Amino acid sequence: MYEDILLPFDGSDGSAEALHHAAEIAHWADATIHVLFVADTTRDSVSVVETRVVDSLVEEGKDIVEDAEKTLGTLGVDYDSDVVQGNPAPTIVEYAEQYGHDLIVMPTHGREGVSRYLIGSVTEKVVRLSPLPVLTVRMQPDEQLQFPYENILIPTDGSTEAGSAAEHGLSLAASLDATVHLLSVVDDTSLGLDVRSTVLSREHEQMATETLDDLVADADRHGVINTARHIEHGSPAEIIRDTIASNDIDAVVMGTTGRRGTDRILLGSVAEKTVRSAPVPVITVGRGV
């Protein structure tokens, strides 16, 4: 599945957990982890030391990257590293594209401060900008990090973008011999109680059923043996969280965009809400995959 994993790293507790999770994936995939520190040029990090102009963030980044290398060496993972300057989110995405990485692993936040750039907004920008899959780790007390993934949730709205994400999720599940939970949410929260709304809800549910039928067939073609279908009504982000909790889900794979409409759930806002709130890793797949 993966050969070159990019790990933007700032040395915070959250990024350390992401490093260990990335290392588990790298072991399984026989992949190389590329540790990247981005010295944020949008902040004032330049100082004068003994008449020399030194970018303090670059110097700190070298120390942080060195610590990450020591950890990865202890874990027996192949690695390399780099320290660059730039605006973190676009720099991370451009770096991943330039060097041909196939997965970006990021925590959803890091410690605040002039030297810490992996705050949630940066991660969410990477999720929106990246044409490559982005695995996010939400570092909160309830976060569950387990690998290999045994149960993978794939939410879908039937769009082309959602189909690309489903392809990625099914390939991953087949490689891991995992059970796939296919979810389609009928978002009827904006519908009223009149007859027309009832008819629309039924039409949306029929479309959801057809979408899941197609995905089950796709799963079979990928060699995924175990699948479960879920059609639910309600708020998409809330339903995704409930499905995670009730089915022992280990990871979510979803698109970052989708068609608009009351029956379409994979809008950017839903993906971002899931990245912020899901207690398991979320792999978002952009349009470029």
Side-chain angles (χ1 to χ4, degrees):
M1 281 293 298
Y2 309 117
E3 295 181 0
D4 295 288
I5 299 172
L6 181 63
L7 178 69
F9 192 75
D10 73 347
S12 68
D13 294 339
S15 59
E17 293 291 339
L19 182 148
H20 281 82
H21 194 64
E24 290 184 300
I25 297 172
H27 266 302
W28 163 71
D30 195 22
T32 299
I33 292 181
H34 305 262
V35 182
L36 176 67
F37 183 94
V38 180
D40 189 351
T41 55
T42 65
R43 299 184 179 186
D44 184 10
S45 61
V46 175
S47 59
V48 177
V49 179
E50 297 178 353
T51 72
R52 290 190 305 116
V53 177
V54 178
D55 189 320
S56 60
L57 274 184
V58 170
E59 294 303 311
E60 182 185 20
K62 292 177 181 177
D63 293 337
I64 288 172
V65 162
E66 184 178 348
D67 289 340
E69 290 175 337
K70 290 177 181 177
T71 300
L72 292 173
T74 301
L75 295 172
V77 176
D78 290 336
Y79 63 85
D80 61 23
S81 63
D82 203 356
V83 177
V84 299
Q85 293 178 307
N87 186 342
T91 298
I92 290 167
V93 173
E94 291 166 6
Y95 192 97
E97 291 186 272
Q98 180 180 355
Y99 292 101
H101 301 302
D102 40 36
L103 179 69
I104 303 173
V105 178
M106 296 187 70
T108 57
H109 63 79
R111 292 194 300 241
E112 297 288 349
V114 69
S115 66
R116 308 303 177 185
Y117 67 88
L118 292 185
I119 55 177
S121 60
V122 173
T123 298
E124 288 166 18
K125 287 177 183 176
V126 172
V127 167
R128 288 196 299 270
L129 293 171
S130 177
L132 307 172
V134 181
L135 187 155
T136 54
V137 177
R138 170 185 159 272
M139 294 320 305
Q140 296 293 332
D142 63 340
E143 185 76 2
Q144 304 163 36
L145 294 177
Q146 174 179 306
F147 192 85
Y149 306 137
E150 295 180 1
N151 290 282
I152 296 175
L153 175 64
I154 303 178
T156 184
D157 67 352
S159 65
T160 301
E161 294 83 357
S164 296
E167 286 290 315
H168 189 86
L170 291 173
S171 295
L172 179 61
S175 298
L176 292 169
D177 195 24
T179 296
V180 170
H181 295 259
L182 302 168
L183 171 66
S184 186
V185 180
V186 179
D187 186 358
D188 51 14
T189 56
S190 62
L191 299 179
L193 299 177
D194 57 20
V195 173
R196 181 175 178 275
S197 296
T198 301
V199 172
L200 281 174
S201 181
R202 288 174 179 169
E203 290 178 353
H204 296 162
E205 185 165 339
Q206 179 59 35
M207 292 173 65
T209 300
E210 293 171 358
T211 296
L212 294 192
D213 286 342
D214 291 340
L215 280 182
V216 169
D218 288 342
D220 185 62
R221 285 192 289 273
H222 278 81
V224 176
I225 298 174
N226 298 314
T227 60
R229 300 156 49 107
H230 307 271
I231 297 177
E232 304 290 348
H233 292 250
S235 168
E238 292 180 6
I239 294 296
I240 289 172
R241 290 195 299 272
D242 290 344
T243 305
I244 292 170
S246 59
N247 293 277
D248 295 324
I249 299 298
D250 300 310
V252 179
V253 182
M254 66 187 301
T256 57
T257 58
R259 291 180 295 192
R260 295 186 179 276
T262 55
D263 61 326
R264 307 301 179 186
I265 70 167
L266 296 186
L267 307 181
S269 61
V270 175
E272 290 162 18
K273 287 178 182 177
T274 302
V275 165
R276 289 195 298 266
S277 62
V280 297
V282 179
I283 301 175
T284 50
V285 180
R287 296 181 180 181
V289 176

